[in-house]
Amino acid sequence: MRTDSGLSEGTEVGSLYDPMLSKVIAYGPDRATALRKLRAALADTVILGVPTNTGFLRRLLAHPAVVAGELDTGLVEREAEALVDREVPGEVYAAGAAVRRAALEPAPADGGWTDPFSVPSGWRLGGEPTPPAFWVRVPGQEPVQASGDGTVTDGRVAVTVDGVRHTFVRAGDWLGRDGDAWHVQDHDPVAAAIGGAAGAHGADSLTAPMPGTVTVVKAAVGDRVEAGQGLLVVEAMKMEHVISAPHAGTVAELDVTPGSTVAMDQVLAVITPDEPEEDQR
């Protein structure tokens, strides 16, 4: 991102994702106007199918220090937890479930008649309808069983959750909104259980947030770590991503070394959680 704390009339503020991808530029008569236009432009930027830092940049531009022009090279590192949205909103899973439900809808038959038993309505004999639920997951997150009903087209998904309507741009299994994007994938609990902890990509596994290179490894198999302790650093898209322990425990697997090239969602390490105190007695 390029900014200038002494913006004058007509000054540009640019947001750089990667030299080979794209660049969003906004300008205005003063800094506040340029920043406001840039945040709006990033919200309207849709890039699905590959990870980007668009949402991160929107949050960075809204940070009080950036708004005030009080910038330094340590800002991102100090505020990383607030700038990187690690939680997946519930409506994202609902939209992913709506996409899968729509795929089960029967195609219109000749004459306009549709077999009611082919419609995924959740109908039950002698009971209230139960909407079908689907197991889905977003890379780096626990699998979630979600249900959702809404309007699904080739390019958009709209669902209502707790009375609020949410609309996403869609491309296949990818969903985007306000600069953020999520790859909502199918999850097979049986296959995950057979594959073990690393195959499940659950809370015990540390995965790569995007394709990149491991530059730092701060732990070894057998080490005990605390929740939030930084264990690895992955360099990707001109940024360093600190991979931290999701909970206190012991490093059970560590599959990379400094210099290792990793793919998105590749398992880097597995942390076995500490046993509950009552189980230790």
Side-chain angles (χ1 to χ4, degrees):
M1 186 187 70
R2 185 183 69 223
T3 60
D4 183 350
S5 59
L7 290 178
S8 58
E9 183 173 356
T11 299
E12 294 183 352
V13 178
S15 177
L16 183 64
Y17 306 124
D18 185 279
M20 295 183 293
L21 293 181
S22 65
K23 185 175 184 180
V24 177
I25 298 175
Y27 65 90
D30 52 45
R31 181 183 186 83
T33 302
L35 287 173
R36 186 170 59 252
K37 286 185 175 182
L38 185 53
R39 287 197 299 268
L42 290 173
D44 291 336
T45 299
V46 178
I47 303 175
L48 302 179
V50 293
T52 73
N53 60 353
T54 313
F56 163 82
L57 292 176
R58 282 195 69 228
R59 289 183 283 274
L60 178 61
L61 290 170
H63 192 279
V66 176
V67 173
E70 300 171 352
L71 306 177
D72 63 80
T73 55
L75 174 63
V76 171
E77 183 176 358
R78 291 196 306 272
E79 303 294 335
E81 287 299 318
L83 297 174
V84 178
D85 192 0
R86 302 186 187 280
E87 297 295 325
V88 178
E91 59 267 22
V92 172
Y93 293 116
V99 170
R100 282 147 183 82
R101 179 173 177 170
L104 298 178
E105 293 284 349
D110 293 339
W113 182 84
T114 299
D115 181 355
F117 291 100
S118 68
V119 178
S121 62
W123 180 85
R124 294 188 299 168
L125 179 64
E128 293 295 324
T130 301
F134 304 86
W135 279 101
V136 293
R137 71 176 181 87
V138 171
Q141 302 289 329
E142 282 279 14
V144 171
Q145 191 175 37
S147 60
D149 187 17
T151 304
V152 180
T153 67
D154 288 340
R156 290 188 179 274
V157 182
V159 294
T160 300
V161 178
D162 296 331
V164 179
R165 191 71 166 172
H166 302 272
T167 301
F168 299 87
V169 179
R170 176 201 171 205
D173 290 339
W174 284 80
L175 302 174
R177 179 184 65 182
D178 295 335
D180 285 308
W182 301 270
H183 189 194
V184 186
Q185 303 172 328
D186 290 317
H187 174 75
D188 185 336
V190 176
I194 294 174
H201 286 210
D204 297 347
S205 300
L206 305 183
T207 58
M210 57 185 66
T213 302
V214 176
T215 57
V216 177
V217 176
K218 301 180 180 180
V221 173
D223 286 357
R224 191 188 180 284
V225 297
E226 299 295 335
Q229 179 179 336
L231 305 181
L232 306 101
V233 176
V234 176
E235 184 177 299
M237 295 185 67
K238 313 300 182 184
M239 296 177 58
E240 289 188 338
H241 303 265
V242 178
I243 311 299
S244 302
H247 46 239
T250 303
V251 179
E253 298 180 26
L254 185 62
D255 301 326
V256 294
T257 58
S260 297
T261 300
V262 296
M264 183 183 72
D265 203 26
Q266 177 178 330
V267 175
L268 309 177
V270 176
I271 310 299
T272 302
D274 291 339
E275 295 182 3
E277 292 185 3
E278 58 269 22
D279 294 342
Q280 296 177 352
R281 292 195 295 268

